[in-house]
Amino acid sequence: DAIARRHPRAQVLSVDEYRADVSSLLGRLMSSFNLFALVMYGVAALVGTATLASSISERRRAVALTRLVGGRRRAVERVLGVEASVTVTIAWAVAGIGGLLGIPVMIAAQSVFSGLLPDMREPVGIIGLSLVMTGLATALALLVARRSVGDRPLAELVADE
């Protein structure tokens, strides 16, 4: 009676009602987590694109010197493409494995707190989408950086320094 006066909006729930409420909350939380993961993949892809493109653009002088000593434009583009692909593949693999290992830990932590263990499905759709986004980001970075491999004279590059 004293508790009811101090907390007039409080309700007593049965175990089934409590489990249903927490289960609903966990479902909304998992949906929010999936949306957050998609947004973070997008941000990471954009940041990675900008970083990769600027990294390649910063090496304009080295690329020009390679071209000056006889390197063909196509060969230099291929080397930059392979380098970008390897870097991006390693980054994607590390992030994917980290995510796959982290999801069960996060869900287990939630289950300890709530007493419920939600359905544990690996986010295959998000992982597949992240792979596509990673590929597109790499292609965009290489497209942006392609200007560095152009036929710009070395004297002009030295003057820029």
Side-chain angles (χ1 to χ4, degrees):
D1 197 30
I3 294 175
R5 282 192 304 255
R6 286 171 50 205
H7 304 284
R9 295 179 56 202
Q11 296 179 9
V12 177
L13 300 176
S14 69
V15 172
D16 290 336
E17 290 171 329
Y18 172 75
R19 286 183 185 268
D21 284 351
V22 172
S23 183
S24 172
L25 177 67
L26 285 176
R28 290 191 308 265
L29 181 65
M30 294 306 288
S31 295
S32 298
F33 173 72
N34 285 336
L35 179 63
F36 179 72
L38 283 173
V39 170
M40 292 313 301
Y41 275 126
V43 169
L46 290 174
V47 169
T49 298
T51 303
L52 193 57
S54 68
S55 168
I56 293 171
S57 293
E58 289 295 319
R59 297 188 307 183
R60 288 183 309 178
R61 187 173 181 173
V63 168
L65 285 170
T66 303
R67 296 286 313 280
L68 185 67
V69 297
R72 292 196 171 97
R73 178 182 178 138
R74 199 75 178 133
V76 173
E77 285 178 355
R78 192 177 317 120
V79 166
L80 291 175
V82 167
E83 175 185 314
S85 297
V86 167
T87 303
V88 166
T89 301
I90 291 171
W92 182 82
V94 168
I97 291 169
L100 288 176
L101 293 176
I103 289 171
V105 171
M106 289 174 42
I107 290 175
Q110 277 294 330
S111 71
V112 166
F113 182 70
S114 68
L116 296 173
L117 184 62
D119 185 22
M120 292 227 305
R121 291 173 301 191
E122 299 302 339
V124 176
I126 292 176
I127 293 170
L129 183 61
S130 73
L131 182 58
V132 171
M133 290 171 67
T134 302
L136 290 174
T138 304
L140 181 62
L142 291 174
L143 184 68
V144 168
R146 186 177 180 146
R147 290 183 10 204
S148 356
V149 185
D151 293 321
R152 196 166 173 202
L154 184 60
E156 190 180 328
L157 286 172
V158 172
D160 284 348
E161 296 290 319

